[in-house]
Amino acid sequence: MSALQPISGKDHAAGGETYDVVVVGAGFAGMYMLHKLRGLGLTVRVYEQGDGVGGTWYWNRYPGARCDVESMQYSYSFSDELQQEWDWSERYAPQPEILKYANHVADRFKLRPDIALNTRIDQATFDETANTWRVTTSDGNTVTAKYVVLATGCLSNARMPDIKGLSGFKGKVYHTGHWPHEPVEFTGLRVAVIGTGSSGIQSVPVIAEQASHLTVFQRTANFSIPAHNAPLSQEEREAFRAKYPEVRRFAREETRNGIYTEMPDRGALDDGDNERRTRYESRWAYGGLTFMAVYNDLALNKAANDTASDFVREKIAEIVKDPQTAKLLQPNNHPIGTKRICVDTDYFATFNRPNVTLVDIRSNPIEEILPNAVRTAARDYEVDALVLATGFDAMTGSVAKIDIRGRNGQTLNQKWAEGPKTYLGVMSAGFPNLFIITGPGSPSVLSNMMVSIEQHVDWITDCIAHMRDRGFEAMEAEKQAEESWVAHVNEVAHTTLYPQANSWYMGANIPGKPQIFMPYIGGVGVYRQICNNVAAKGYEGFVMTAVEQPQKIAAS
Ligand code: NAP
């Protein structure tokens, strides 16, 4: 059967349905992928393990969860009608509103009939004879597809910490990345939050308002910038919408992180102390992730970075009344921005509340969880509920949970045992017709995910159309092109300060995970250009195979 015509139907040999494309995950990536592939007239089945769409915004329902990119920008740009008609209520939308938006998109573009909810993909095996994938789902079905697209998300595999006694805790245990759907009530309870990354930093102020006492267990202090969140007025929305064409173009083509903002024209050391402070004050007052865009060398030059790190440490000391607590909250083991910077609402001020205690578990590690307490080397803290804000097996974790077998029966986990290897972050050699959206080796988590998702989906769609139009059956990254790309990703990362932090970007939060800088740090604008050039040269660095004769397109 040709892959080049829609091929839905029963595959009697495999015993299940046959599709042109199976997409794994119905978050923002999977939904847009479905929409675009339908536009090519292909048959698509999306499998989603949750019982609703929305991906990260479906799972991360913890108190205070909201986006750290402004919502007018953290939204799809592919449909002007959609971006003109949707009203974001606040500068940074809260999780329920983002989930509502995801559901709106699913309805508006009539995506639901092609999405199977409550269904995991357990296995995907490439059939080298037929150039198709056999995909096994958690409900025991096997389907066949020409292509598989992994839209599994970069931060979707919540990580339970390996702490002795955790399973014996008598109260409720919650993970921020896997929050219950029913309301969680902390009123009158003594609550522990373990972890002070973005999820902890967002949830702590909200939990503190409910709990009788909140104890925050901090291993590493983090840099956080105030969000200064506020309702958006109709005038603000309209003004933003009017400039959408330029905002979206600029974010895609001219930025590193996919966020439209004023671009720096100088380094931190080009200004004197007073001018520098004025600039930092102004960005602090504006709030949010763009704090790192005050100067153009904060990610590159340690001395420059120190000026920004010092500024934020001073702010923490100004906000937090108890000097000892302030000192503990001041990050001191990584340059600002080399771990994902956090965006908060009243995080540091929360430690001025009488019902909040900060415990430094760097000097006094948690030894075990007792049925009613957290035991550190120094003492026991009695608590009624535990909130684990301990993060994710990022970028590779969700892919690793699927048993993916490519050529010669090699599994993707075997291939990635020493770290993920991809060409452009979209394909891995030896795994034909398997695409990854925002995979390792692409800007993904270093960017506004919406920008990176749309770019990958558009590129993959064009690529599949190219194959269809030219009669190609299989496409695969060339090993040599992949090796060069992996080396390039690594080289660029090491021209920056990023590798200096023990971050999840490096896999450092997972014991035993290879420590390799996973995302591509060259920036979304540069990366887009590289991908476009590859496509313009007939998908240089990929091998495309027709039924009769293989065509090789060598990487230069
Ligand atoms: P994270 O940044 O990985 O933070 C996990 C925290 O848990 C860290 O403080 C870590 O300490 C601590 N931890 C992990 N294991 C521990 C253990 N066994 N004992 C004690 N402490 C432990 O995870 P996250 O906060 O969920 O955020 C992950 C990413 O998701 C963010 O960086 C961001 O990209 C994204 N996110 C975005 C938003 C948003 O858009 N608003 C919100 C939440 C998350 P160490 O640092 O010492 O390892």
Side-chain angles (χ1 to χ4, degrees), residues 57 60 62 65-69 155 159 161-163 175-176 194-200 202 217 219-220 222 339-340 343 361-362 366 389-392 445 502 504-505 509:
W57 302 103
N60 286 268
Y62 59 83
R66 60 177 74 242
C67 192
D68 60 4
V69 175
L155 294 156
R159 179 179 164 258
D162 186 15
I163 304 177
H175 191 291
T176 48
I194 300 177
T196 51
S198 295
S199 305
Q202 285 189 334
F217 293 87
R219 191 163 68 184
T220 307
N222 253 312
K339 283 186 162 201
R340 170 76 169 212
V343 176
I361 53 171
R362 172 80 52 192
I366 295 176
T390 45
F392 302 87
V445 291
N502 286 324
W504 56 257
Y505 297 139
N509 63 329

Side-chain angles (χ1 to χ4, degrees), residues 190-237:
R190 295 164 302 176
V191 181
V193 171
I194 300 177
T196 51
S198 295
S199 305
I201 281 177
Q202 285 189 334
S203 57
V204 157
V206 184
I207 297 174
E209 282 177 9
Q210 299 172 4
S212 64
H213 196 90
L214 172 63
T215 309
V216 180
F217 293 87
Q218 172 189 277
R219 191 163 68 184
T220 307
N222 253 312
F223 289 101
S224 189
I225 307 297
H228 297 307
N229 188 35
L232 278 176
S233 67
Q234 189 58 16
E235 294 70 43
E236 285 172 307
R237 283 193 290 262

Side-chain angles (χ1 to χ4, degrees), residues 302-322:
K302 178 70 167 56
N305 186 290
D306 283 345
T307 65
S309 299
D310 286 346
F311 175 84
V312 175
R313 282 190 282 262
E314 280 172 34
K315 285 289 178 196
I316 296 169
E318 275 171 29
I319 298 167
V320 181
K321 294 199 178 107
D322 173 48

